[in-house]
Amino acid sequence: DEEFNELCFEFGLELDEITSEKDIISKEKGEEKAKGASDTVLYKIDVPANRYDLLCLEGLVRGLQVFKERINLPRYEKIIPAQGEGQRLIITEETVQVRPHAVAAVLRNITFTKERYDSFIDLQEKLHQNICRRRALVAIGTHDLDTISGPFTFTAKAPSEIKFKPLNQSQEYTASEIMDLYRTDSHLRHYLHLIENKPLYPVIYDSNGVVLSMPPIINGDHTKISVNTRNVFIECTGTDITKAKIVLDIIVTMFSEYCEKPFSVEAAEVVYPNGKTHIYPELAYRKEKVKPELINKKVGISETPSSLAKLLTRMCLKSHVIGNGNNIEIEIPPTRADIIHACDIVEDAAIAYGYNNIQMTIPKTYTIANQLPLNKLTELLRLDLAAAGFTEALTFALCSQEDIADKLGMDISATKAVRIANPKTAEFQVARTTLLPGLLKTIAANRKMPLPLKLFEISDIVVKDPDTDVGARNYRHFCAVYYNKSPGFEIIHGLLDRVMQLLEVPPNEENGYTIKATEGSAFFPGRCAEIFAKGQSVGKLGVLHPDVITKFELTMPCSALEINIEPFV
């Protein structure tokens, strides 16, 4: 296990955990449910999102074997059948509105075992979730070629005209019935929205009218593959042709290893509505040139061109030195769609060299870091507020609409609150516009604690602001509450004076702070004051209204203070 963990790290992967089915179930659902689950050891490996070629056991093992220099990188080849003998996929113009693109290929004389078959299905699922964006960009269909006869037609029809037996079902349904059937299916219901509101649904037929699939929802039952399937017809339909080509390349390169002639793929011809034809899979190899100095400089190493070429070859990028060592020519195989720019090649060289082997150096630039003034002020205030006998609370930045509006006696429209579009819970509907509700909820959760409760928080609040580029603005607020058998207005007032003293703001009108009586919906009438400093209103303090206290499920009087500290920075 440790060796494998090391190997994964060297190859730029992470062995997430070593577990078993039993462990996973018992963690999620408890010991009882885990009885009878398998104890087989499972490796959970974290693969970077751009390395589609490592998403199945075949590709991962092949990549590691090449990395360990046990095998040479296989050469993938496409076999173009004799004229008129290959499979054809004809795209009709009806598909333009729904899913305009399709590509296809054939794996001939393949030998599946239970493990290989499971891996084959699993790879499709992982690709669907990742590069295919939950089948929105590409949907993959794999079919038993011996149960159907080409040429195949990819068209789009009205839902009522499409009728077939979907995978693993016992009877035929029309497309509309299939949509209703899978509305409750935990796996497939997430894909229905991709086509359900379209006038026509995409569908693929063979020459006898047998339905292969209705992408991106479900394949037909007639063509389903099994462990005994010998010839597999693969079609990828989608809205993004580049992604469709990558997906097809990955599937055929990963599993052509099990064909009678390993690493060979039979090409298929796709005929477009305008009559043009194209042979897929492309399986394109391309050459790139990178200067060795560039790699050495970017990574911070000093290797010879030939050893850099060797490092890259270990990463499945077959390389050799050309032009007296001035350049390295790299051949990019069809499995590496993630190599877009020279920096991707440099990164692979760094991985093969080993991140841990790169010498640590001190950066050549000198900079002196500085704390953001607002955060510096916040830190200083927090220390002194704690010294004044108040306890700091940290509450959620999101709360419910009631917390900042109804419970404080305000209307939600008056709060300028930023709303969450699709909140997961009622507790997180809006961003807070005041810190008070968070502290009152904290007191409600700590009613068993001995009185008095003295809490404070210094955090950001968020309000809508049409003048900013993001439409909202943050303000750093300071809020304190005092909760006891008596309101304790003088304690909160004393805290305000202490804060102003610390901020060196004198208690006068010219250049200091003053408080003036005012009314606030959350405060008791006649027990509320507005605080003016630096020529502007910075906040309020006062005794909370009994209605507010009961709405937060509290039973004692409470006084509070909330100010914006940004003017004092």
Side-chain angles (χ1 to χ4, degrees):
D1 286 350
E2 277 177 17
E3 281 180 292
F4 186 66
N5 189 7
E6 266 303 290
L7 175 61
C8 283
F9 181 79
E10 285 169 16
F11 191 53
L13 306 176
E14 189 181 345
L15 179 57
D16 216 15
E17 59 174 324
I18 298 168
T19 176
S20 69
E21 232 169 75
K22 197 171 192 168
D23 287 351
I24 296 172
I25 297 172
S26 69
K27 252 188 215 159
E28 286 173 7
K29 300 177 180 166
E31 301 270 319
E32 283 302 303
K33 293 262 166 67
K35 281 184 182 156
S38 97
D39 278 334
T40 317
V41 174
L42 298 177
Y43 285 164
K44 240 181 168 176
I45 301 169
D46 223 357
V47 175
N50 57 350
R51 290 297 300 266
Y52 316 115
D53 56 317
L54 304 178
L55 284 178
C56 63
L57 188 65
E58 288 70 16
L60 183 64
V61 168
R62 199 177 301 161
L64 288 170
Q65 293 272 42
V66 173
F67 182 68
K68 296 290 282 176
E69 302 183 81
R70 293 190 183 163
I71 60 168
N72 288 329
L73 183 66
R75 182 91 193 171
Y76 306 104
E77 61 166 326
K78 63 176 169 196
I79 296 168
I80 297 173
Q83 187 67 40
E85 284 188 12
Q87 299 303 333
R88 273 170 55 230
L89 177 62
I90 299 155
I91 305 178
T92 68
E93 58 220 4
E94 285 83 14
T95 59
V96 172
Q97 304 305 320
V98 224
R99 282 180 102 73
H101 304 292
V103 296
V106 177
L107 291 176
R108 276 277 171 209
N109 299 322
I110 192 167
T111 311
F112 280 127
T113 60
K114 171 87 174 70
E115 287 76 19
R116 294 174 182 182
Y117 174 80
D118 290 345
S119 177
F120 188 55
I121 302 297
D122 208 33
L123 173 66
Q124 290 173 48
E125 202 36 59
K126 286 205 172 68
L127 290 169
H128 272 153
Q129 292 308 322
N130 180 348
I131 182 175
C132 305
R133 290 286 175 279
R134 299 206 177 81
R135 303 192 191 180
L137 302 181
V138 189
I140 309 159
T142 51
H143 312 278
D144 187 335
L145 187 57
D146 301 326
T147 61
I148 40 182
S149 58
F152 305 102
T153 312
F154 174 41
T155 182
K157 287 190 166 184
S160 51
E161 292 175 27
I162 303 171
K163 191 170 186 190
F164 67 102
K165 184 162 126 189
L167 193 63
N168 301 332
Q169 296 291 335
S170 49
Q171 63 184 78
E172 288 198 348
Y173 296 93
T174 65
S176 330
E177 289 166 347
I178 289 174
M179 289 305 224
D180 295 333
L181 176 70
Y182 289 127
R183 225 172 278 295
T184 52
D185 184 289
S186 63
H187 177 57
L188 291 172
R189 64 161 191 237
H190 305 296
Y191 308 120
L192 302 182
H193 70 92
L194 294 173
I195 59 167
E196 74 182 327
N197 299 325
K198 300 269 176 36
L200 304 178
Y201 287 3
V203 59
I204 300 178
Y205 292 102
D206 82 343
S207 56
N208 302 323
V210 173
V211 171
L212 275 70
S213 69
M214 182 173 84
I217 311 298
I218 190 84
N219 286 353
D221 193 67
H222 182 89
T223 61
K224 79 168 168 206
I225 63 171
S226 68
V227 180
N228 305 320
T229 300
R230 297 288 291 144
N231 299 301
V232 182
F233 178 66
I234 303 165
E235 40 82 10
C236 301
T237 61
T239 51
D240 181 328
I241 185 71
T242 312
K243 299 271 195 293
K245 289 185 203 168
I246 294 174
V247 168
L248 185 68
D249 277 351
I250 292 294
I251 293 179
V252 297
T253 50
M254 292 302 113
F255 286 88
S256 52
E257 162 174 6
Y258 303 134
C259 291
E260 196 168 48
K261 184 175 179 202
F263 305 114
S264 69
V265 185
E266 182 183 309
E269 187 178 33
V270 172
V271 185
Y272 291 102
N274 61 8
K276 288 192 175 145
T277 66
H278 199 299
I279 303 285
Y280 291 105
E282 288 193 340
L283 288 188
Y285 281 87
R286 69 174 209 272
K287 298 256 171 58
E288 295 285 351
K289 289 186 186 128
V290 175
K291 294 205 175 308
E293 308 80 269
L294 177 83
I295 300 179
N296 279 329
K297 186 177 155 212
K298 294 274 186 221
V299 181
I301 52 179
S302 48
E303 291 290 294
T304 62
S306 58
S307 73
L308 287 174
K310 197 174 166 192
L311 289 177
L312 288 168
T313 304
R314 287 175 55 205
M315 294 302 287
C316 301
L317 300 173
K318 203 166 163 194
S319 311
H320 58 272
V321 181
I322 55 170
N324 305 333
N326 295 337
N327 255 330
I328 299 177
E329 187 176 66
I330 297 125
E331 184 178 54
I332 313 237
T335 46
R336 293 298 304 272
D338 59 299
I339 305 282
I340 300 168
H341 184 274
C343 66
D344 297 306
I345 295 171
V346 174
E347 182 193 12
D348 269 11
I351 292 173
Y353 184 80
Y355 283 1
N356 286 350
N357 302 328
I358 301 170
Q359 288 298 308
M360 292 274 214
T361 55
I362 289 174
K364 294 199 168 47
T365 47
Y366 286 112
T367 56
I368 296 171
N370 242 341
Q371 202 175 3
L372 202 65
L374 180 62
N375 286 344
K376 190 171 179 179
L377 176 66
T378 303
E379 296 301 318
L380 290 168
L381 270 176
R382 287 171 62 224
L383 281 172
D384 277 302
L385 287 162
F390 279 71
T391 305
E392 185 170 28
L394 286 170
T395 60
F396 289 120
L398 298 178
C399 56
S400 69
Q401 289 191 23
E402 283 77 53
D403 289 343
I404 56 166
D406 311 0
K407 289 185 183 176
L408 298 179
M410 282 175 72
D411 186 57
I412 187 74
S413 55
T415 60
K416 292 199 196 155
V418 175
R419 285 178 130 122
I420 308 288
N422 47 351
K424 282 267 190 270
T425 68
E427 276 297 295
F428 294 152
Q429 294 168 327
V430 291
R432 60 181 171 195
T433 55
T434 156
L435 300 178
L436 187 59
L439 289 183
L440 293 177
K441 280 167 36 182
T442 307
I443 293 179
N446 289 284
R447 280 175 303 200
K448 295 194 176 66
M449 302 298 274
L451 295 172
L453 287 174
K454 298 153 81 173
L455 300 180
F456 80 92
E457 176 168 19
I458 307 183
S459 290
D460 281 353
I461 60 119
V462 186
V463 284
K464 278 193 198 145
D465 181 350
D467 301 334
T468 61
D469 53 348
V470 289
R473 188 184 284 280
N474 288 16
Y475 290 104
R476 184 70 51 89
H477 273 208
F478 152 57
C479 180
V481 291
Y482 176 80
Y483 178 73
N484 200 358
K485 293 192 170 73
S486 65
F489 180 79
E490 65 286 354
I491 293 188
I492 281 295
H493 192 178
L495 185 71
L496 170 70
D497 289 345
R498 174 69 181 138
V499 169
M500 292 300 174
Q501 185 187 13
L502 290 163
L503 294 169
E504 295 182 349
V505 180
N508 60 37
E509 281 201 24
E510 283 75 62
N511 53 359
Y513 74 100
T514 52
I515 61 173
K516 293 187 180 139
T518 180
E519 294 300 320
S521 59
F523 294 97
F524 200 82
R527 290 272 189 283
C528 172
E530 193 160 5
I531 305 155
F532 291 89
K534 307 262 178 173
Q536 66 193 71
S537 163
V538 290
K540 286 183 178 151
L541 82 159
V543 178
L544 292 183
H545 198 291
D547 290 354
V548 174
I549 289 175
T550 33
K551 281 179 183 158
F552 281 100
E553 299 168 13
L554 301 176
T555 49
M556 308 265 182
C558 180
S559 51
L561 150 72
E562 180 159 5
I563 60 170
N564 175 9
I565 63 167
E566 295 195 8
F568 304 104
V569 173

